[in-house]
Amino acid sequence: MFSDELLNISWDDTTKAIQSKTANDVLRALNKSGNLTVDDFMALVSPAAAPYLEQMAALSRKYTMERFGKTMQIFIPLYITNSCTNSCVYCGFHISNPMKRTILTESQIVDEYKAIKELGPFENILLVTGENPAKAGVDYIARAIDLAHDYFANIKIEVMPLKMEDYKLLAEEHGMNGVICFQETYHREKYKTYHPAGMKSNFEWRVNGFDRMGQAGIHSIGLGVLCGLEDWRTDMTMMAYHLRYLQRNYWTTKYSVNFPRMRRAENGGFQPNFELSDRELAQLTFAFRIFDHDVDISYSTREPARIRDNMASLGVTTMSAQSSVEPGGYHTYKHQALPQFNVTDDRTVAEVVAGLKRAGREPVFKDWDNAMN
């Protein structure tokens, strides 16, 4: 399990190693061919790489074109419940947050599916829940997946970490194609500070969830870190270690990485401890593409339109469009519920597509069908 391997990787030593990288280390990484080592990745995310962003951008563009061409996969998330038993200090779904809790019924879920199809020709859907297995557990998720097949070709989930048997059940008997899970931060000691209670407070159970996905033979696994909790350079290096570990052990699986940025709260809420600038976000994106030519890099609507359009040809390969981040936000409770986070890119599907085409990208709404399996 990766939690055992992570015990041998010191957070502090990794931070020092990143900060000690030199221009020569950066150039050595840039001049390598094929996939790089994690040590090379450290050089590319280090402060020493800042003067080489143009070279990194050119390489990132080159590798993206070679592997993905001009395509940009488009997906849409659907929150089917905000019921949650966790106490994540940064999250709008925090158990102590005085908000209306919603668990969509089957008919409401179908209404949401129909409303999404009216927005655009979506075939890739991500079903998202809070973490409340007693009220919205595996059976509930399985039923939502079953209902989705009449509307979507590719169904992924972002839910609480499950048992291996449950992942296998959802994939083999219900046609789920992928799982996305945010570790949030790999800092084992600080993790408990951000997740003081609830299922999510168990660091090992969460980080080893990716092993259980791999053991279940999940086709697509997405890893994520929430930028703003801890030093982004070290957290991303830990995710790079995790990616390489998973690729070694579950080599038939396709992988993606996500690194959304936290925004400063305007209402006195949780404030990010570290900020990732636009230039640093670009550096991180280039670093991951140069580090691994095959990994899918995803940008959500947390990022502003100009950033998403600019990065569309420089490493990003998947984007969401016209996202609602509240349960039933496309039809049932449109503009009524409390969202999990603020959407920055609020363009329509047509506007996102137009922006991508101006950037020379070809939006793709479907590239997967169960018939391929």
Side-chain angles (χ1 to χ4, degrees), residues 77 79 90-93 97 226 260-272 300-305 308 320 322-326 337-347:
Y79 287 67
Y90 50 81
C91 183
F93 292 173
N97 199 356
L226 187 56
R261 294 186 289 178
M262 299 183 71
R263 303 293 180 182
R264 288 200 166 274
E266 297 176 358
N267 58 358
F270 181 84
Q271 303 293 347
S300 76
T301 52
R302 280 181 186 256
E303 295 302 331
R308 293 186 356 132
S320 53
Q322 205 166 340
S323 302
S324 171
V325 292
E326 54 195 30
L338 179 67
Q340 187 182 31
F341 59 86
N342 290 327
V343 168
T344 305
D345 185 354
D346 58 0
R347 293 176 296 174

Side-chain angles (χ1 to χ4, degrees), residues 7 65 99 120 158 193 268 273 285 296 317 357 360 371:
L7 290 172
M65 282 292 295
M99 62 182 292
E158 184 182 333
T193 301
N273 297 313
T285 304
D296 196 14
T317 49
K357 288 186 174 180

